[in-house]
Amino acid sequence: MQTVVASPDAARYVFRNESLPPFSPYEVKVGVYNNKGEGSFSPVTVVYSAEEEPTRAPTTVLARSISASDVEVSWAPPWENQHKGRIQGYEVRCWRHDEKEENAKRIRTVGNQTSTKVSNLRGNALYHLAVRAYNTAGTGPSSAAVNVTTKKPPPSQPPGNIVWNSSDSKIILNWDQVKALDNESEVRGYKVLYRWNRESSTSVIETNKTSVELSLPFNEDYIIEIKPFSDGGDGSSSEQIRIPKISNAYARGSGSSTSSACTLSALSTIMISLTARSSL
């Protein structure tokens, strides 16, 4: 088939034919002409007629809670007739049991991705999730909904009574154990976050004890904070404790959950040994 577009400024042409099957490939090339005759043609390009929206739903939808606010959902792609269109991605809908489905949170993936994370959910709540495929023509049918309950929220109480001691280029931190409430996830351990006062990069050490030993040079000011972690996520963090540059061989200080002030004195310290797992 050949069509003449008379306007020299034209950059678009629409071919209409109601009998065109969906997503049919056509070879196209465009040439120019004037009153002297025809010029060169472009290289041949393959274009497709419009797609139909997906006609089948994804299968094997699974969901699992990974924290109090996050759920991971995965699925298997539907079998589709590739002569009618391509799947460009998937739409995941998530709604709480006491909410209406039409108000569901929607997350879209792109390409062949068959899993995603749904975040910013309420802790210890029942959610329903469903998945459907989409392309340029629209969205296909929904899978059957699956249920998942998010984990209990993390501990709300921060570590208190933080005390630090220093000796031989080491800082030893001690704090009170955090007790989770009945509606909170049990404490699995603690994260100690520390950085130079003048730096923004933070290092983290995890431990399941209520003390930790840091091997740090004393020629810098340090900012330290401690928070519990649980299956529900990270709990409330303590106030930041500033440990100033130390010129004495031995020093100690303390901070509370309401103040970042610390005191210094030239006192001997008791070294506390423990094992700590670094998460750097």
Side-chain angles (χ1 to χ4, degrees):
M1 296 173 287
Q2 179 173 300
T3 298
V4 174
V5 182
S7 172
D9 298 324
R12 182 173 180 267
Y13 171 73
V14 177
F15 174 66
R16 300 184 185 278
N17 187 331
E18 297 297 331
S19 64
L20 281 179
F23 204 59
S24 297
Y26 286 83
E27 293 183 343
V28 177
K29 62 180 180 179
V30 181
V32 295
Y33 73 94
N34 59 17
N35 56 6
K36 297 288 188 181
E38 291 186 353
S40 300
F41 276 81
S42 70
V44 173
T45 299
V46 177
V47 299
Y48 288 82
S49 58
E51 299 178 289
E52 286 185 347
E53 62 190 24
T55 58
R56 296 176 183 266
T59 61
T60 321
V61 179
L62 301 173
R64 68 181 184 95
S65 174
I66 54 179
S67 73
S69 59
D70 300 316
V71 166
E72 184 181 67
V73 58
S74 62
W75 58 90
W79 180 88
E80 282 290 334
N81 186 346
Q82 297 300 316
H83 296 297
K84 293 186 176 182
R86 294 169 293 188
I87 293 175
Q88 292 191 322
Y90 298 90
E91 180 183 89
V92 177
R93 290 175 295 126
C94 178
W95 66 99
R96 208 166 57 242
H97 182 66
D98 56 355
E99 295 177 327
K100 294 182 179 180
E101 183 176 351
E102 53 263 32
N103 297 327
K105 177 195 292 283
R106 287 174 167 80
I107 296 176
R108 282 201 164 191
T109 66
V110 177
N112 297 325
Q113 181 180 343
T114 56
S115 66
T116 191
K117 185 170 72 172
V118 184
S119 301
N120 300 319
L121 304 178
R122 181 182 297 180
N124 198 26
L126 174 62
Y127 282 88
H128 309 293
L129 299 102
V131 186
R132 52 188 181 179
Y134 72 86
N135 59 18
T136 58
T139 306
S142 175
S143 70
V146 297
N147 302 329
V148 64
T149 299
T150 52
K151 297 183 184 296
K152 291 182 178 181
S156 57
Q157 294 298 315
N161 294 329
I162 301 173
V163 177
W164 60 267
N165 299 275
S166 65
S167 176
D168 299 329
S169 298
K170 295 179 180 178
I171 297 174
I172 302 100
L173 292 159
N174 294 270
W175 58 89
D176 287 348
Q177 182 180 3
V178 175
K179 297 284 189 180
L181 303 179
D182 291 341
N183 62 340
E184 297 174 344
S185 297
E186 290 295 324
V187 176
R188 291 177 49 208
Y190 301 87
K191 292 182 180 181
V192 179
L193 298 84
Y194 61 95
R195 62 179 173 85
W196 289 354
N197 191 27
R198 60 180 180 173
E199 294 286 340
S200 59
S201 177
T202 300
S203 299
V204 182
I205 283 182
E206 291 184 9
T207 178
N208 57 8
K209 301 182 182 295
T210 56
S211 60
V212 72
E213 180 181 291
L214 305 175
S215 297
L216 302 173
F218 289 155
N219 57 351
E220 295 286 347
D221 291 355
Y222 286 95
I223 301 296
I224 294 178
E225 57 185 295
I226 305 169
K227 58 184 176 183
F229 66 87
S230 67
D231 288 339
D234 290 349
S236 299
S237 178
S238 69
E239 292 287 333
Q240 291 185 343
I241 305 300
R242 186 179 70 86
I243 300 181
K245 186 188 305 182
I246 300 169
S247 58
N248 298 312
Y250 301 96
R252 67 182 304 173
S254 65
S256 69
S257 60
T258 59
S259 172
S260 61
C262 57
T263 59
L264 295 175
S265 59
L267 299 175
S268 298
T269 61
I270 299 175
M271 300 295 290
I272 301 175
S273 62
L274 73 158
T275 59
R277 178 170 61 85
S278 173
S279 64
L280 294 178

